[in-house]
Amino acid sequence: MADIAPTTLPPRPQAPLLDADFLARLEQLEIISRKIHAARNKGERQSRRKGESAEFADYRNYVSGDDIRHIDWNIYARLDRLFLKLFLEEEELNVSFLLDVSGSMDSGEPQKARYAKRVAAALAYIGLCNYDRVNLYAYAESVVASRNGLRSRRNLPQLLKFLEDAPLGGGSNFVAAARQFALRHTQKGVCVVISDLFDKHGFQQGLPFLLGRNLDVYVLQVLSPQEMEPELAGDLKLVDVEDEDVAEVTISKPLLAKYKANLQAYCESIRDYCNQRGISYLLTATTHPFEQLVLTYLRARGLVR
Amino acid sequence: MTFLSPMTGLLFAGIAIPLLLLLYFLKLRRQERRVSSTFLWKKAVQDLQVNAPFQKLRRNLLLFLQLLLLAAVLLGLAEPVANFSRTPEKRIVVMIDRSASMKTREADGRSRLEHAQDAAVDFVRDLPDHSSAMVLSFGAVPTVVCTFTDDKRRLERLIRGIEPTDEPSLIGEALPLAIAYSTNLVDIPGVGGSSGAGSSVPEAAMQGAADIEFFSDGRIADADRQYVTRGNLRFYRVGATADNVGITAFDVRRDFERPGIISVFVQVENFGAQPVKTDVGISLDGKPLPGPGSIREVQLGPAARDKGASPGGSEGEEPAGTVAEALPPAQNVIFEFAHEAGGMIQVEVHRDDAMKVDNFAQAPIDPPRQVRILGVSDRASMRVFIEKAMRAFEIQDYRLMGTEEYDNAPDGDIAQGGRSAYDLVILDGHDTDRLAPGNYLFFGGVPKVEGVSLGDLVEGEPIIFGREDHPLMRNVAYEGIFISKWRKLELPEHAVSLLEGSDSVLMAALTDPGHRYVIGSFDLLESNWPIKEAFPIFLQNAIGYLASGGLIETKRMIRPGDTISATVPAEATTATITRPDGGIDERPARPGTILSYARTKDAGVYRVAFDDPAQTSETYAANLLDANESRIAPNERFTVGSENVEAVRAETRVNEPLWPWAAGMALVLLIVEWWIYNRRVMI
């Protein structure tokens, strides 16, 4: 009988999603949104809208009906004209994470799901530190778990628990998940999608749901080294971990070359799609140090500052 | 293409092909691996398949290759052979020439007979299954090597076992025998081997005549006197060499007037296309004769172009017109020397050519003695004639007696040691059966032997024909002879007529074992012959031819294949014959009878020794002396009856085994399969 690779990996010691040193470094960062959002609640984030914060922005002439509390009386005394003091609005930012927890994420060495959770945890913690409203959605065939409205760093344990407890398995259907997310989550903000994007239903069709909500979308594609450089040989029966689909292949040099070319073309098609729609796209391998990813690459991409 | 072992191939095919298919279905068990997604893999596979031609075929390309490989191996197992020749008939008579000319060494050092055996073996191998063939070898006499059988291995073995002879090529007996076998399928027990198990003789007998496949160099002496009544005759020519010089005539004589002098006549002939200069030497008892005359140089011109000879016989360009070419191709050499004792004379042509057997000729000689002649006549005038003749020829030892005296004479008077006491007995007008082994000349009477009698009286007819080439009639001017009447001679078939009228024979020579007769059915005194010059000439010829047995036993010079006839001396019970190859045969002998020995296929000296108290022994020499055999250039065609028989390609008949090609194909397929497997282009 031929060898059958184990369907599940043996339990391995789980490192904490975030360690203390890294948390300290994350606290200095904040998540940036390139769009102006009308948040329901006041937040600590300075908005480009004029509002009621302590920070002066501009003057304008008084018109009837304006709040007289904002009239600058010193100016009136000097010029005898009514001017209204304008202050920068301070508002909260919605930071949402769509985290792929399908069966395909439960593969790779290092595991893709773990890597994705750590990235999500890091970015969410940045949001918590900046009093952003952090929303977490785990999806497979659909949204399987969500946690909304986390704010301030005291919610960090809940954040980590949610991520740790997110169930792995099942098929992947980003379109359905994006639709559900868009229905539930009407507020604008930043949406970070973390997935391997191996979605047989078509990944691209899901993104318009997010763009329709005027979200600032970031797509982070996580692949394992086994997917990028397969180390397979011989006559194999490849079984899809999500839907048990089978592909019988005889591994050969041309076939491997063709696979890599297809993978590259697939990734490039996603990147092109994202670029055309103002979506930030980043491909990373699970072997890439995620601290560096967060502190360097995402910073370079403008997601954090 | 035919298969030597079709059943083997089919048997293995029956086992191996289902086994391969079974293994093919069982063999591919893929390892299972779980991957995050298969869609990229499937896409890669599809891309490769789209780019690959003949996808349907390629899906099972390895299987096809394996099936092809297996087919090639099975083909090899079935031992295919390429048979580029025609499809032979189902029953074949293979005739193989084993005459002297087939001993000729060809350029490759092998004899023509070996080439003929190769060609015949190839031919037999090419025969379709269930064909039957018989093998007949022939020189002067035919031998059934193998009767009809379909056992090819047996046929091959027996063909390889055929031995060459020094006999001339004669198909006078062989061809009728082959035709008889092919039509009646005669089975001679004990000859070569009877038709073996599996022979298809009964069916073959129902199918008419077999074809005759004739392997020879085409030098058949009596071909034009034969004809093929049934079946077809196909001639496979073997051989190419033509260069040969040989002795074609040889005679040794003691002059009965000077018995101490021996004359040796040798005719040497060149059969090659180039002029030849060679030496001819003579030796006595193995030692060259003393004196310078024992070796003579002869210059021979090229042989006349033989219109039937093969192109290979010309051996080079056309000869230029030189003096040498103006020479005749044959020269006579005469050695004359004094020798009072017996011995063995050998003449040799000192030349290394393709045919050795005709470079030698041998003759046993006896010590000289006086010729003894007996005249038997009741008529005084005839006695006078005989007596005058004896005196004229200076024959001292002669005797005359009447017919009654002859018939009543004691045995010791007319016979000694089982033979006639006289070298020649001349009988006038007397029919008798008192004929001890010896030589007899009859006038007006006949010997009382089977097949000889006197028929109707013929009167007033002239002599129409005289056989001038016979030694007895040499220089006899028969045109001037008138014989008033004679009786028509009734003779056996082997008698040779010497004088003939319009429809009758009046004089003939007859040779029976131990006896030689010359019979004239007329009364000498009723002709003008005794008063013509032709009569003493004839008598001299007759004494030389018949009575010279006392001087040189010319009957002891035979041709290969002839029968040796020796008179068994008194008290002898066994004869021991020593052959030229050193082999010894023993034969029972009865005193007073003639011992016949026919195993004389080789040229050389045969010694017959008896176990009588006197230890009598006689020596015989078998010489080829056959210009037809010595002319070794193979014939492209010869005539049988009125039909020309053209050579078919004997040398090109090859039975090329194809199994190495099948094995090579299998190897190539194996390599291709290995390459495809390693390239993994087949998904």
Side-chain angles (χ1 to χ4, degrees):
Chain A
M1 289 291 288
D3 295 333
I4 296 176
T7 53
T8 52
L9 291 169
R12 46 193 163 181
Q14 296 277 320
L17 288 175
L18 300 171
D19 59 46
D21 289 344
F22 188 58
L23 285 175
R25 295 175 71 182
L26 291 176
E27 285 169 5
Q28 299 167 10
L29 299 174
E30 63 174 331
I31 293 175
I32 305 295
S33 175
R34 290 168 294 182
K35 295 181 180 177
I36 297 168
H37 303 291
R40 288 177 187 162
N41 302 318
K42 298 280 181 187
E44 291 199 348
R45 187 167 298 273
Q46 202 173 55
S47 171
R48 268 177 279 179
R49 290 196 305 165
K50 306 298 181 286
E52 293 179 349
S53 71
E55 196 164 340
F56 173 78
D58 204 352
Y59 291 97
R60 72 166 168 84
N61 290 328
Y62 172 79
V63 293
S64 178
D66 284 339
D67 189 348
I68 57 172
R69 286 180 297 176
H70 294 141
I71 294 172
D72 190 338
W73 296 110
N74 292 328
I75 297 290
Y76 177 72
R78 281 193 283 146
L79 302 176
D80 198 21
R81 287 181 65 183
L82 288 173
F83 283 98
L84 207 62
K85 273 173 82 177
L86 295 180
F87 297 92
L88 285 178
E89 177 84 341
E90 286 190 341
E91 59 188 5
E92 65 177 2
L93 179 66
N94 276 294
V95 181
S96 303
F97 293 91
L98 270 171
L99 181 64
D100 186 357
V101 290
S102 65
S104 65
M105 293 296 285
D106 188 17
S107 65
E109 189 62 42
Q111 191 194 39
K112 288 189 288 184
R114 188 76 188 163
Y115 191 89
K117 284 176 181 176
R118 295 184 81 182
V119 174
L123 293 175
Y125 181 66
I126 294 170
L128 290 180
C129 290
N130 291 290
Y131 289 91
D132 293 331
R133 186 173 290 274
V134 174
N135 307 300
L136 295 165
Y137 289 84
Y139 79 92
E141 286 284 2
S142 58
V143 173
V144 293
S146 63
R147 189 77 172 84
N148 289 325
L150 296 177
R151 211 166 174 230
S152 83
R153 68 183 69 176
R154 72 171 183 276
N155 287 324
L156 178 61
Q158 294 174 49
L159 168 73
L160 295 178
K161 185 173 186 306
F162 174 82
L163 290 174
E164 290 284 9
D165 294 346
L168 281 175
S172 176
N173 190 343
F174 177 71
V175 179
R179 185 188 289 120
Q180 278 183 301
F181 173 79
L183 288 173
R184 289 187 197 175
H185 194 89
T186 55
Q187 295 167 356
K188 297 178 180 62
V190 175
C191 180
V192 181
V193 180
I194 306 174
S195 170
D196 57 8
L197 304 185
F198 286 156
D199 192 333
K200 289 180 181 172
H201 300 90
F203 175 78
Q204 286 89 335
Q205 288 86 333
L207 289 175
F209 288 109
L210 307 182
L211 294 173
R213 291 294 179 195
N214 204 19
L215 289 166
D216 194 4
V217 181
Y218 289 82
V219 173
L220 184 60
Q221 187 177 14
V222 180
L223 295 178
S224 69
Q226 290 77 20
E227 288 160 345
M228 299 176 93
E229 292 287 341
E231 292 178 350
L232 299 174
D235 296 314
L236 298 177
K237 180 181 173 185
L238 302 179
V239 181
D240 195 316
V241 293
E242 293 186 359
D243 57 4
E244 299 295 322
D245 184 35
V246 169
E248 290 193 338
V249 296
T250 300
I251 302 297
S252 64
K253 231 174 159 180
L255 183 68
L256 285 175
K258 182 57 74 178
Y259 169 82
K260 287 179 191 171
N262 284 347
L263 178 63
Q264 187 179 354
Y266 181 64
C267 295
E268 283 176 0
S269 72
I270 295 170
R271 186 193 64 199
D272 293 345
Y273 184 88
C274 292
N275 288 344
Q276 287 164 11
R277 287 159 183 79
I279 299 169
S280 290
Y281 166 80
L282 185 65
L283 170 66
T284 184
T286 56
T287 47
H288 193 83
F290 96 99
E291 293 92 346
Q292 191 183 9
L293 174 80
V294 175
L295 297 177
T296 308
Y297 288 93
L298 291 179
R299 215 171 184 174
R301 293 288 169 133
L303 179 60
V304 293
R305 181 172 60 190
Chain B
M1 187 171 71
T2 55
F3 296 93
L4 295 182
S5 308
M7 286 315 295
T8 311
L10 286 175
L11 186 69
F12 277 90
I15 298 170
I17 290 176
L19 199 63
L20 173 71
L21 292 173
L22 188 66
L23 287 174
Y24 186 81
F25 288 124
L26 292 178
K27 73 162 193 174
L28 204 58
R29 297 195 63 85
R30 295 177 183 272
Q31 284 189 343
E32 195 174 293
R33 292 287 167 85
R34 298 187 77 81
V35 292
S36 53
S37 181
T38 54
F39 85 98
L40 282 175
W41 287 108
K42 283 192 166 178
K43 192 166 184 302
V45 168
Q46 283 169 1
D47 288 349
L48 282 180
Q49 285 182 335
V50 164
N51 292 331
F54 305 113
Q55 296 167 49
K56 295 281 183 190
L57 180 68
R58 290 167 63 89
R59 186 174 295 278
N60 286 316
L61 188 57
L62 287 179
L63 174 63
F64 283 135
L65 282 172
Q66 285 167 4
L67 282 172
L68 277 175
L69 187 147
L70 190 62
V73 170
L74 293 171
L75 194 69
L77 280 173
E79 292 190 69
V81 288
N83 182 2
F84 299 110
S85 61
R86 62 175 182 81
T87 304
E89 281 70 14
K90 287 193 171 178
R91 288 185 308 128
I92 304 292
V93 179
V94 177
M95 289 182 74
I96 298 177
D97 185 354
R98 57 167 186 165
S99 65
S101 60
M102 295 298 282
K103 271 188 171 178
T104 302
R105 294 276 156 197
E106 292 295 335
D108 60 358
R110 301 170 73 232
S111 72
R112 280 184 188 173
L113 180 62
E114 289 170 310
H115 285 282
Q117 285 168 326
D118 288 349
V121 164
D122 285 345
F123 178 85
V124 167
R125 283 182 185 160
D126 285 351
L127 285 174
D129 291 338
H130 308 303
S131 294
S132 61
M134 72 167 287
V135 183
L136 198 69
S137 69
F138 68 94
V141 289
T143 304
V144 178
V145 178
C146 179
T147 53
F148 278 103
T149 178
D150 57 1
D151 184 345
K152 291 184 181 179
R153 296 194 189 283
R154 181 161 169 266
L155 284 166
E156 287 179 25
R157 191 181 72 248
L158 291 171
I159 287 170
R160 294 281 182 208
I162 293 173
E163 291 184 350
T165 69
D166 292 328
E167 298 171 1
S169 300
L170 299 173
I171 55 171
E173 291 182 46
L175 197 58
L177 188 64
I179 293 166
Y181 263 96
S182 67
T183 51
N184 301 323
L185 300 162
V186 183
D187 198 358
I188 302 175
V191 180
S194 63
S195 43
S199 166
S200 53
V201 167
E203 306 99 287
M206 306 296 291
Q207 296 172 3
D211 277 8
I212 298 169
E213 311 293 333
F214 194 85
F215 296 86
S216 170
D217 57 4
R219 289 287 170 193
I220 312 297
D222 60 346
D224 55 346
R225 298 197 291 275
Q226 313 304 325
Y227 55 93
V228 179
T229 54
R230 303 285 299 271
N232 297 312
L233 178 67
R234 266 182 292 272
F235 163 44
Y236 299 89
R237 181 181 63 81
V238 291
T241 308
D243 178 38
N244 185 37
V245 173
I247 297 170
T248 52
F250 176 61
D251 199 7
V252 180
R253 297 260 167 177
R254 279 187 193 275
D255 190 343
F256 58 82
E257 293 170 346
R258 296 177 297 158
I261 303 297
I262 293 176
S263 299
V264 179
F265 303 89
V266 185
Q267 186 180 59
V268 184
E269 189 167 351
N270 176 24
F271 299 97
Q274 302 299 323
V276 166
K277 185 192 286 185
T278 185
D279 291 338
V280 181
I282 186 168
S283 59
L284 180 66
D285 293 331
K287 296 173 187 169
L289 288 176
S294 65
I295 293 181
R296 304 277 178 81
E297 184 184 273
V298 291
Q299 290 193 1
L300 306 169
R305 182 62 61 86
D306 186 348
K307 62 182 179 181
S310 70
S314 61
E315 286 197 347
E317 66 281 1
E318 289 286 327
T322 62
V323 177
E325 278 126 28
L327 292 169
Q331 294 268 4
N332 292 329
V333 181
I334 300 171
F335 297 96
E336 205 167 68
F337 59 95
H339 185 64
E340 298 284 350
M344 178 67 71
I345 287 175
Q346 179 172 318
V347 175
E348 180 181 359
V349 175
H350 297 285
R351 188 167 188 271
D352 185 21
D353 52 29
M355 194 179 191
K356 307 285 183 200
V357 66
D358 63 353
N359 290 358
F360 298 89
Q362 292 167 304
I365 55 169
D366 291 331
R369 60 181 173 82
Q370 288 293 329
V371 174
R372 300 186 73 205
I373 292 178
L374 172 64
V376 180
S377 176
D378 292 332
R379 297 186 293 180
S381 52
M382 192 65 196
R383 288 187 175 202
V384 171
F385 271 122
I386 294 170
E387 196 168 355
K388 278 188 174 176
M390 295 303 110
R391 283 181 189 160
F393 299 132
E394 297 180 354
I395 293 171
Q396 308 298 324
D397 192 359
Y398 72 91
R399 186 182 169 188
L400 294 168
M401 60 173 67
T403 54
E404 199 171 331
E405 186 187 357
Y406 175 78
D407 287 339
N408 297 325
D411 284 346
D413 276 8
I414 57 172
Q416 283 178 357
R419 283 188 62 82
S420 171
Y422 297 92
D423 297 312
L424 176 63
V425 179
I426 303 170
L427 295 115
D428 171 43
H430 182 51
D431 299 347
T432 182
D433 59 355
R434 196 164 191 201
L435 301 165
N439 305 301
Y440 297 88
L441 174 59
F442 284 86
F443 288 108
V446 292
K448 289 184 177 172
V449 294
E450 190 179 346
V452 180
S453 60
L454 291 172
D456 298 337
L457 186 69
V458 179
E459 284 186 281
E461 270 198 24
I463 299 170
I464 304 295
F465 169 77
R467 192 173 294 278
E468 295 171 18
D469 58 349
H470 196 279
L472 281 163
M473 300 302 293
R474 203 171 291 152
N475 302 321
V476 175
Y478 66 90
E479 296 88 351
I481 301 171
F482 177 75
I483 298 170
S484 63
K485 58 182 177 184
W486 66 79
R487 302 291 289 272
K488 194 175 177 178
L489 268 176
E490 306 289 343
L491 295 161
E493 278 187 7
H494 61 283
V496 177
S497 69
L498 301 175
L499 291 173
E500 293 179 16
S502 59
D503 62 347
S504 60
V505 176
L506 63 147
M507 190 170 218
L510 175 66
T511 303
D512 281 342
H515 297 80
R516 282 201 287 190
Y517 308 102
V518 176
I519 307 161
S521 62
F522 53 88
D523 185 351
L524 265 181
L525 299 181
E526 291 185 354
S527 74
N528 63 351
W529 199 5
I531 59 170
K532 291 282 186 184
E533 284 178 358
F535 188 66
I537 294 171
F538 171 78
L539 269 187
Q540 188 177 28
N541 287 347
I543 294 168
Y545 178 73
L546 297 171
S548 63
L551 305 169
I552 300 290
E553 284 279 10
T554 50
K555 74 183 182 66
R556 284 158 56 190
M557 283 171 61
I558 60 169
R559 299 287 187 83
D562 284 357
T563 302
I564 291 173
S565 299
T567 305
V568 181
E571 299 183 43
T573 57
T574 306
T576 306
I577 302 104
T578 308
R579 298 196 302 269
D581 59 4
I584 292 174
D585 287 324
E586 285 199 356
R587 295 280 187 276
R590 202 150 52 90
T593 59
I594 302 296
L595 173 86
S596 295
Y597 179 77
R599 201 174 166 189
T600 56
K601 65 183 181 64
D602 296 325
V605 176
Y606 292 81
R607 181 181 162 79
V608 183
F610 295 97
D611 61 346
D612 61 319
Q615 297 290 305
T616 309
S617 69
E618 286 186 343
T619 309
Y620 295 80
N623 299 313
L624 180 63
L625 305 181
D626 190 329
N628 187 61
E629 288 298 314
S630 293
R631 188 174 288 112
I632 58 175
N635 266 344
E636 274 294 309
R637 69 191 74 83
F638 62 89
T639 305
V640 174
S642 58
E643 287 186 25
N644 267 332
V645 181
E646 296 279 349
V648 295
R649 45 204 165 77
E651 289 85 354
T652 55
R653 290 184 61 85
V654 287
N655 200 4
E656 188 67 35
L658 294 182
W659 70 264
W661 290 98
M665 194 164 72
L667 184 66
V668 169
L669 287 170
L670 192 66
I671 291 169
V672 169
E673 189 187 355
W674 176 84
W675 178 78
I676 287 175
Y677 183 77
N678 281 279
R679 286 271 300 172
R680 321 257 187 182
V681 292
M682 168 61 204
I683 311 300

